[in-house]
Amino acid sequence: MTIHFGTFLLMQSPSARPSQEMYARAIDIAQAAEALGFYNVWLAEHHFSTYGYLSRPAQFATYIATKTTRLRVGTAVIVVPLHHPLVVAEEIATLDLLAGGRVDIGLGRGYQHYEFERLGLELDSARGRWEESVDVILKAFRGEPFSYDGKFFKIPETSVFPQPLQKPHPPIWVTAQSPESVEAAVRRGFNVLTGGFGVPIERMAEFRRLFDRMVAEVQPKHPLEVGVQRAVYVTHSEADARAAAEEARWNMRVTLSLRNHAERVERGRAIAVPMPKEPDVDDLLDRFLVIGTPDTCIRQITRIRELVGITHFNCSFWFGDLEQARVLRSMELFAREVMPAFA
């Protein structure tokens, strides 16, 4: 089974670096990804803290598309309940047209009380807003007039322009960090993206087993794909690998604190909140990360492929406060010494 390797940009900064520096780094990484033969780049959406400087992924994806020629650009993810679905549909279509169809769309429900509160929304409404929004977005992509009468959105007869280049729309991926999300994605016929910071490999394997049961039950009209996202760092030094794992711990701590509504944000700066019973470095390297020598990374990805059955593997090369030179060197080693093992 062929694996498409992509890279993922959260654009976090524990040390609260200037915005211009953060965007310049992201552009360099995207262009390096194309030069090194990666399949795509995925862009996150987060708001109001240094956990992520990237608040408009479709807008930034459009810019990256103009700076590349082959690399596919994707959102991972647009937090759908934070926006009006008609605007989301228009932005996706505009991106797809300007990128010449080199687009994959990740959609998500969102998980941060912190972000929802600051936009005047309640996280408890996310599931309902998500279901209605997806209905509206899919109707918008049919290219015909439609109306919608829901609890959250009441839309009189409307036609959406522009329409996407890919038909009927770009491939849609959904982040799934719970059994309910896996089930909902399969029922919609969407591809599934799982993993991320704080999700151990055995949890992803559970999601895969559920995914297979749901596919057997629902029998989607077309084959669905599964992707995994992992922090990745390739080095020939064990000390360097262990230091990188501690940088990844910052992402894991902040991600889980935001997910559990236990976050600390001070003057916009996201603070890493230690968790009870945190995994030690060896456990992080075994169950949560793909970090180490090229051979170690090959073994870890092979293990993920065997347990999760992936078609896509998204590498989060830039995490914590890793310096740009270390990130780019890791990407080069991965492309030269890891990717060929899965060709």
Side-chain angles (χ1 to χ4, degrees):
M1 181 186 296
T2 301
I3 297 178
H4 290 301
F5 288 99
T7 188
F8 169 74
L9 293 172
L10 175 65
M11 295 174 59
Q12 78 296 322
S13 180
S15 55
R17 301 299 301 165
S19 298
Q20 185 175 9
E21 175 186 322
M22 297 294 289
Y23 274 79
R25 286 189 65 174
I27 293 164
D28 285 348
I29 289 170
Q31 291 179 318
E34 173 160 274
L36 291 168
F38 286 86
Y39 181 72
N40 53 6
V41 59
W42 295 89
L43 308 175
E45 177 188 344
H46 287 295
H47 301 271
F48 315 129
S49 83
T50 58
Y51 176 67
Y53 285 54
L54 181 46
S55 57
R56 308 302 301 180
Q59 183 177 359
F60 193 36
T62 304
Y63 182 82
I64 289 175
T66 68
K67 297 294 182 179
T68 54
T69 58
R70 179 196 54 77
L71 190 73
R72 292 181 69 83
V73 293
T75 60
V77 293
I78 297 172
V79 185
V80 172
L82 297 181
H83 311 284
H84 195 289
L86 290 177
V87 176
V88 173
E90 290 172 336
E91 288 190 346
I92 291 170
T94 302
L95 166 60
D96 197 41
L97 288 163
L98 295 177
R102 290 186 285 130
V103 172
D104 300 285
I105 294 298
L107 303 176
R109 202 170 69 217
Y111 63 89
Q112 296 186 20
H113 285 276
Y114 179 82
E115 293 179 337
F116 276 71
E117 289 167 352
R118 279 149 186 81
L119 290 168
L121 299 169
E122 295 181 0
L123 187 61
D124 290 345
S125 71
R127 187 181 299 274
R129 292 177 65 86
W130 158 264
E131 292 293 345
E132 291 192 13
S133 293
V134 171
D135 287 343
V136 171
I137 291 167
L138 294 177
K139 287 177 179 292
F141 288 152
R142 292 175 185 166
E144 298 177 352
F146 72 95
S147 58
Y148 192 81
D149 185 17
K151 176 182 176 182
F152 297 97
F153 300 103
K154 297 186 182 298
I155 302 171
E157 184 175 297
T158 300
S159 298
V160 172
F161 300 94
Q163 286 291 302
L165 180 62
Q166 298 178 86
K167 300 300 179 187
H169 49 70
I172 295 179
W173 293 76
V174 172
T175 48
Q177 309 291 19
S178 69
E180 296 80 15
S181 297
V182 173
E183 180 176 340
V186 174
R187 290 195 183 281
R188 289 275 191 180
F190 295 158
N191 302 316
V192 171
L193 182 62
T194 188
F197 293 96
V199 182
I201 188 169
E202 65 271 15
R203 182 71 164 154
M204 296 190 298
E206 290 174 11
F207 289 161
R208 178 67 205 209
R209 290 191 290 270
L210 173 60
F211 174 86
D212 289 339
R213 290 198 300 272
M214 290 305 305
V215 167
E217 176 186 328
V218 174
Q219 297 185 346
K221 294 178 181 178
H222 57 86
L224 303 185
E225 300 188 66
V226 175
V228 158
Q229 189 164 292
R230 271 303 195 236
V232 175
Y233 186 76
V234 190
T235 177
H236 291 291
S237 163
E238 182 180 352
D240 190 30
R242 296 178 78 85
E246 290 297 343
E247 293 288 347
R249 190 186 297 277
W250 184 92
N251 286 67
M252 185 174 70
R253 285 175 169 175
V254 177
T255 299
L256 294 177
S257 68
L258 286 163
R259 186 175 297 280
N260 296 326
H261 202 12
E263 70 277 352
R264 280 183 60 200
V265 179
E266 299 175 0
R267 299 180 63 83
R269 192 164 178 164
I271 307 298
V273 179
M275 302 172 295
K277 300 179 180 179
E278 277 192 342
D280 61 20
V281 175
D282 290 323
D283 199 19
L284 284 176
L285 292 170
D286 180 46
R287 298 168 56 232
F288 294 88
L289 308 171
V290 176
I291 290 180
T293 66
D295 284 345
T296 297
C297 292
I298 289 168
R299 285 197 303 272
Q300 288 281 42
I301 296 168
T302 300
R303 181 181 172 201
I304 291 169
R305 181 176 63 180
E306 290 171 353
L307 289 174
V308 191
I310 55 174
T311 56
H312 289 65
F313 186 83
N314 298 332
C315 308
S316 182
F317 289 109
W318 177 15
F319 49 84
D321 253 343
L322 281 179
E323 301 91 340
Q324 187 79 336
R326 291 172 72 191
V327 172
L328 295 175
R329 185 168 62 249
S330 169
M331 291 178 68
E332 290 167 5
L333 279 171
F334 188 90
R336 188 171 69 241
E337 300 189 32
V338 177
M339 281 165 52
F342 300 94

